[in-house]
Amino acid sequence: MSSVLTLPSTFSRLNLVPKSLITIPLAFKPLNLLKSHKQQQARSLNSPRLSSLNSFTTHFSTSRSSVSPKPFHDDLVVLGIETSCDDTAAAIVRGNGEILSQVVSSQADLLARYGGVAPKMAEEAHSQVIDQVVQEALDKSGLTGRDLSAVAVTIGPGLSLCLRVGVQKARRVAGSFNLPIISVHHMEAHALVARLIEKELQFPFMALLISGGHNLLVLAHDLGQYTQLGTTIDDAIGEAFDKTAKWLGLDMRKSGGPAVEQIAQEGDAESVRFSIPMKQHKDCNFSFAGLKTQVRLAIASKNIEAKVPISCASSQDRSSRADIAASFQRVAVLHLEERCERAIEWALKIEPSIKHLVVSGGVASNQYVRARLDRVVKKYSLQLVCPPPKLCTDNGVMIAWTGIENFRVGRYDPPPPANDPEDFMYDLRPRWPLGEEYAEGRSEARSLRRARVHPSLTSLVQASLQQQ
Ligand code: KG4
Ligand code: ZN
């Protein structure tokens, strides 16, 4: 089973080195501990002999052997592995953002069969394909493990059984090639992949992260430092899309969202009067459970049978389904729009220099979502940044890229041993908030499901920075 680390060991994973030191050129010198590595860096700053060596990034060594120095920025090559939910993904990305390869093995067929992710089955599916997915990513890039600078892997949030498959694989690869390992927050990766696409995107910026399991509005102050402006008090929007698709008897092979988006184009979005969630709550939180119920009731009232696939429906039945899909999509997105407007107002008060709203996560591949949110940001003279659909849904590129961003500032762990002992306790964080809640934005509408297991990424980063 997965392990949950206590706070002190959690801290020890964040090997933070002040940014100012990281970017300063260093000569490579094998050291036994990161701590002494940091001291070495500090000592190196005034050394004229070392300052002439300007092409290397920070290095460290383990008690086993030293890691070869890797050139900075462009020559970093990171393998990213993602298994937090139902997609097994791997990619290889260069420090300059060049995507050398990306491979995704989707469990959409399982999703279609069971209408949701069954953790044990998802774990088995990941285990079956993980070796192949990683190998394919290496083959497509034309590289071998020896060419890599580091391995990045999602450690949370997500299903612990699934996360474990990716972490195990990442440690095996890193162990075999003596590579540092970077632990990645899945939601940070959804946000940061936008910086790979849009080179102008600087901190601070806002991000709306909308996927099957998460619905987050955050203010990104810096790498690893986020203020959570809003989250869902029950279901995420992607879950609402998936259930709507299932109840409407749509083809779920590419997951529910794209199926709803497609049939919605045939429907009248004003025909079913769904109410917008949480109108009375003047905050930035989300709720989709009530809207799901409204959809279910509308489907029942039209006698739509999910068992009858849309491809076999009569034309009248098909048009009722399309009307419900379009009306659901309109109201679900209105809810996003309303929350985004308020969040932008809050965020501009906290960080007036914000220029961008990033919209990422699987649901951000929806063209209607993009178009509506584009209108919202324009009102505030902001720019919308949406990664291309392939980088919005779960993928290895976002993990590799987030690994690169973290590696550059010294946030990585030393290479693991070639083989972990059988009773090794993996650091998996199934419930791991990205940021601390914005105090003024606390909602009275709370769900019991919000129990926290891990301290947020932001609190860990801040605590580590204070220790330096
Ligand atoms: O980010 P993602 O790949 O996985 C999670 O971390 O959850 O998001 C998957 C979710 C699914 O709920 C899927 O139905 C939804 O994203 N999705 C969409 C679209 N494409 C994927 N929802 C609406 N419209 C789409 N075009
Ligand atoms: Zn995701």
Side-chain angles (χ1 to χ4, degrees):
M1 281 302 287
S2 66
S3 63
V4 174
L5 289 189
T6 54
L7 191 57
S9 40
T10 308
F11 276 124
S12 72
R13 293 188 58 83
L14 288 160
N15 296 331
L16 301 181
V17 182
K19 228 188 222 169
S20 55
L21 297 185
I22 293 287
T23 49
I24 288 169
L26 294 170
F28 178 67
K29 189 167 177 194
L31 299 162
N32 285 331
L33 291 167
L34 185 68
K35 222 179 192 172
S36 40
H37 163 59
K38 282 193 235 169
Q39 288 158 358
Q40 176 72 17
Q41 282 182 310
R43 276 201 300 272
S44 304
L45 295 181
N46 300 321
S47 159
R49 186 176 62 83
L50 300 182
S51 63
S52 63
L53 296 165
N54 58 4
S55 60
F56 295 106
T57 183
T58 62
H59 322 294
F60 62 90
S61 72
T62 66
S63 49
R64 288 189 312 126
S65 59
S66 62
V67 176
S68 311
K70 300 283 181 188
F72 196 44
H73 290 298
D74 291 9
D75 289 341
L76 271 178
V77 182
V78 173
L79 163 67
I81 298 178
E82 158 61 39
T83 60
S84 67
C85 190
D86 57 342
D87 290 319
T88 317
I92 298 179
V93 178
R94 266 195 208 285
N96 65 359
E98 186 188 350
I99 298 168
L100 299 180
S101 63
Q102 59 172 319
V103 180
V104 181
S105 168
S106 163
Q107 298 177 15
D109 52 336
L110 285 182
L111 194 75
R113 228 178 305 153
Y114 301 103
V117 181
K120 193 73 194 135
M121 265 179 276
E123 178 203 18
E124 274 169 30
H126 284 303
S127 301
Q128 274 169 20
V129 299
I130 186 77
D131 288 343
Q132 202 186 324
V133 165
V134 170
Q135 192 55 48
E136 212 178 311
L138 282 166
D139 293 347
K140 280 189 170 170
S141 70
L143 301 178
T144 72
R146 266 178 288 281
D147 302 310
L148 299 174
S149 315
V151 181
V153 62
T154 308
I155 64 162
L159 299 166
S160 53
L161 285 175
C162 299
L163 291 165
R164 189 187 169 87
V165 177
V167 171
Q168 235 167 5
K169 178 67 184 176
R171 290 180 66 86
R172 248 183 284 134
V173 177
S176 312
F177 297 98
N178 197 30
L179 300 168
I181 193 153
I182 310 149
S183 299
V184 172
H185 190 295
H186 181 83
M187 301 313 289
E188 180 172 49
H190 270 306
L192 293 189
V193 75
R195 279 162 55 87
L196 179 154
I197 299 304
E198 176 58 70
K199 295 287 187 296
E200 301 287 294
L201 179 58
Q202 304 289 336
F203 292 105
F205 62 85
M206 284 185 69
L208 170 69
L209 307 176
I210 38 180
S211 67
H214 301 274
N215 226 106
L216 273 183
L217 256 168
V218 294
L219 170 48
H221 301 276
D222 203 344
L223 184 65
Q225 303 208 38
Y226 302 87
T227 297
Q228 180 183 296
L229 301 171
T231 186
T232 180
I233 61 161
D234 42 53
D235 299 322
I237 185 170
E239 150 78 12
F241 267 95
D242 290 335
K243 282 289 166 0
T244 300
K246 185 181 166 200
W247 296 330
L248 288 175
L250 306 184
D251 179 354
M252 302 271 294
R253 276 175 298 180
K254 279 196 275 164
S255 84
V260 171
E261 182 180 11
Q262 197 184 355
I263 192 79
Q265 286 171 5
E266 296 173 26
D268 174 358
E270 310 270 349
S271 58
V272 188
R273 292 269 151 205
F274 295 130
S275 55
I276 303 173
M278 294 186 86
K279 267 283 195 200
Q280 72 283 19
H281 294 280
K282 304 290 175 209
D283 58 37
C284 297
N285 290 311
F286 302 89
S287 165
F288 288 95
L291 181 57
K292 265 168 58 181
T293 306
Q294 292 184 64
V295 169
R296 203 156 38 80
L297 294 174
I299 289 172
S301 76
K302 302 251 168 167
N303 298 320
I304 292 166
E305 285 282 350
K307 275 181 277 163
V308 179
I310 185 98
S311 51
C312 303
S314 67
S315 70
Q316 197 196 344
D317 187 0
R318 185 182 176 93
S319 103
S320 306
R321 295 186 201 208
D323 285 349
I324 292 172
S327 304
F328 154 74
Q329 182 174 258
R330 175 176 161 271
V331 171
V333 177
L334 273 173
H335 185 33
L336 294 183
E337 289 170 48
E338 202 181 270
R339 287 359 232 181
C340 276
E341 287 207 18
R342 184 170 295 118
I344 291 172
E345 281 162 19
W346 287 0
L348 285 173
K349 268 193 246 155
I350 307 168
E351 296 268 18
S353 62
I354 287 168
K355 296 198 172 49
H356 299 93
L357 171 69
V358 169
V359 184
S360 186
V363 183
S365 23
N366 183 299
Q367 295 303 324
Y368 179 76
V369 169
R370 290 173 180 229
R372 296 292 305 189
L373 292 175
D374 198 38
R375 286 166 44 132
V376 171
V377 298
K378 286 213 166 93
K379 270 202 236 169
Y380 296 89
S381 305
L382 300 184
Q383 199 185 320
L384 192 72
V385 183
C386 286
K390 260 195 170 169
L391 298 184
C392 279
T393 47
D394 288 351
N395 64 85
V397 173
M398 68 185 196
I399 307 304
W401 177 253
T402 303
I404 288 166
E405 293 232 27
N406 278 285
F407 190 79
R408 281 182 185 153
V409 296
R411 294 176 198 165
Y412 49 69
D413 283 332
N419 286 303
D420 284 321
E422 270 192 17
D423 59 350
F424 186 75
M425 302 277 276
Y426 290 98
D427 177 15
L428 310 174
R429 305 177 187 181
R431 286 182 176 218
W432 188 20
L434 184 56
E436 294 302 301
E437 215 175 344
Y438 179 48
E440 286 173 44
R442 291 227 165 94
S443 169
E444 315 94 62
R446 286 185 169 272
S447 154
L448 292 175
R449 281 206 256 152
R450 292 180 57 178
R452 285 183 173 186
V453 177
H454 287 283
S456 73
L457 173 70
T458 302
S459 67
L460 295 174
V461 168
Q462 282 174 350
S464 300
L465 287 170
Q466 274 161 18
Q467 278 177 4
Q468 287 175 12

